[in-house]
Amino acid sequence: MALAATFSRFGYASCNPNDRAGRFSYHTPPTKSAAAAGNGVPAIRRSNSWRCRSTATASSQAMAAGRRQEKKGVVDEEEEWRSYLAPERLEVVRQLEPWMEEHVLPLLKSVEESWQPSDMLPDPASDGFREACLELRAGAAGVPDDILVCLVANMVTEEALPTYPSGLNHLKVVRDSTGADATAWARWIRGWSAEENRHGDVLNRYIYLSGRFDMREVERTVQRLIRDGMTVHAPASPFHIFVYVAFQERATAIAHGNTARLVGARGDAALSRVCGTVAADEKRHEAAYTRIMGKIFEADPDAAVRAMAYMIRQWGVGELAAGLSGEGRRARDYLCALPDKIQRMEEKAHDRAVKAGKKATPIPISWIFGRTINVLVP
């Protein structure tokens, strides 16, 4: 699962996340619009001249109708999230300021009580620095390549930090408009960013000291990711973005926690400690965003349930009834059905792979000097 997340984050691999062409390149699958324009897989085969005129006409009409429906869906989706920018809905978030001060800001730790990357890595000012580095490398030597690749993916995600607070500062009401606002929302964004900044630092330094990676390739990936930015849906709606961030914090906590467990079992105590510490931070941040969404559910359940894409069981979505519109009830029912649907899809995909006797494909990864890892490619 970790490798699947890695490749879905950076594209499918052939497999250098930096070079646009060549032996080890990541390629982004063409979008539907690019394919239809002839920039990817052709949308229509033009060689079917044997089809009768009526069939071709019916097909064209069906395609036109499909395009109109798709366009309408895009317009409806745009109108849906923009409805969350209505003054009465934004006022719901604005009124949470005192609650935010009391219930969320305390989850941040002061600088004095926070861990720092230097607490978990060899001290370059000490006489035993060389020996400590050799000990760290000895522990890293037993970590298999597939875990190393996942580690880089986790680190790169953390190092793209400049993108994340800039996204939060696009949100209505909660943004830090001056860069030094005194509101509870603004202080949360800055405090959260400051804590997150240590994650990329400590992982990057470990990766550098371990000697297991092609650091130039790793660094180019970080630069490319920050340069390219990130597109999110509903970019100005705090309702939607808080749901997304809660999901993201949960995902990173799981990823770092799994890495800590896996490398610890292979004898790398230093990396296990690093990843476990980062995972604990992410759990605390997840708790903060979960609290925010939980409070929004209390204040405006219809808006919350329709904006949500996750946190189904944690917030008792299935029990929501009062305050929901017809669209809100349909959104609730859809969300509650997702876990079972996803599980069935996963079971079917596994069964198909077993029946097909599908074998893993060896893929070279530039981060580890072009060594290959085995990946089950769909």
Side-chain angles (χ1 to χ4, degrees), residues 98-108 184-185 188 284-285 287-289 291-292 295:
W99 176 89
M100 183 80 179
E101 182 86 40
E102 182 178 355
H103 295 281
V104 177
L105 281 181
L107 290 175
L108 293 172
W185 293 108
W188 166 261
R284 184 162 44 84
H285 296 163
Y289 288 106
R291 286 185 188 181
I292 292 171
K295 190 63 177 178

Side-chain angles (χ1 to χ4, degrees), residues 111-173:
V111 174
E112 289 70 29
E113 64 179 332
S114 295
W115 63 267
Q116 299 300 330
S118 57
D119 297 335
M120 290 179 281
L121 296 170
D123 180 5
S126 71
D127 294 336
F129 177 64
R130 181 175 181 277
E131 290 73 19
C133 287
L134 291 175
E135 183 179 348
L136 183 147
R137 289 192 170 207
V143 179
D145 285 345
D146 54 355
I147 297 179
L148 295 181
V149 171
C150 292
L151 175 65
V152 175
N154 290 343
M155 183 275 284
V156 168
T157 301
E158 299 287 356
E159 287 282 60
L161 178 65
T163 304
Y164 310 142
S166 67
L168 291 175
N169 283 328
H170 280 89
L171 303 181
K172 299 291 186 181
V173 177

Side-chain angles (χ1 to χ4, degrees), residues 278-302:
V278 172
D281 266 9
E282 302 291 11
K283 286 293 292 181
R284 184 162 44 84
H285 296 163
E286 179 200 351
Y289 288 106
T290 301
R291 286 185 188 181
I292 292 171
M293 281 308 303
K295 190 63 177 178
I296 291 175
F297 264 103
E298 291 179 17
D300 191 342
D302 189 69

Side-chain angles (χ1 to χ4, degrees), residues 126-269:
S126 71
D127 294 336
F129 177 64
R130 181 175 181 277
E131 290 73 19
C133 287
L134 291 175
E135 183 179 348
L136 183 147
R137 289 192 170 207
V143 179
D145 285 345
D146 54 355
I147 297 179
L148 295 181
V149 171
C150 292
L151 175 65
V152 175
N154 290 343
M155 183 275 284
V156 168
T157 301
E158 299 287 356
E159 287 282 60
L161 178 65
T163 304
Y164 310 142
S166 67
L168 291 175
N169 283 328
H170 280 89
L171 303 181
K172 299 291 186 181
V173 177
V174 305
R175 68 181 60 167
D176 183 2
S177 57
T178 68
D181 285 357
T183 67
W185 293 108
R187 283 183 286 132
W188 166 261
I189 291 173
R190 293 197 302 271
W192 170 77
S193 300
E195 291 191 353
E196 289 281 337
N197 184 64
R198 301 165 305 149
H199 300 172
D201 285 351
V202 70
L203 291 168
N204 198 324
R205 292 178 199 175
Y206 169 89
I207 286 172
Y208 179 85
L209 290 173
S210 72
R212 298 290 307 276
F213 304 88
D214 185 331
M215 287 306 301
R216 192 167 195 279
E217 290 298 313
V218 172
E219 290 159 355
R220 291 175 66 204
T221 301
V222 173
Q223 182 179 355
R224 186 181 294 280
L225 185 60
I226 297 174
R227 183 202 65 183
D228 290 349
M230 180 177 69
T231 300
V232 296
H233 295 291
S237 166
F239 293 89
H240 294 76
I241 300 303
F242 286 149
V243 168
Y244 170 79
V245 181
F247 186 4
Q248 180 65 22
E249 295 288 14
R250 173 79 169 186
T252 51
I254 292 172
H256 292 302
N258 285 346
T259 304
R261 176 176 53 81
L262 292 170
V263 300
R266 288 161 174 80
D268 193 338

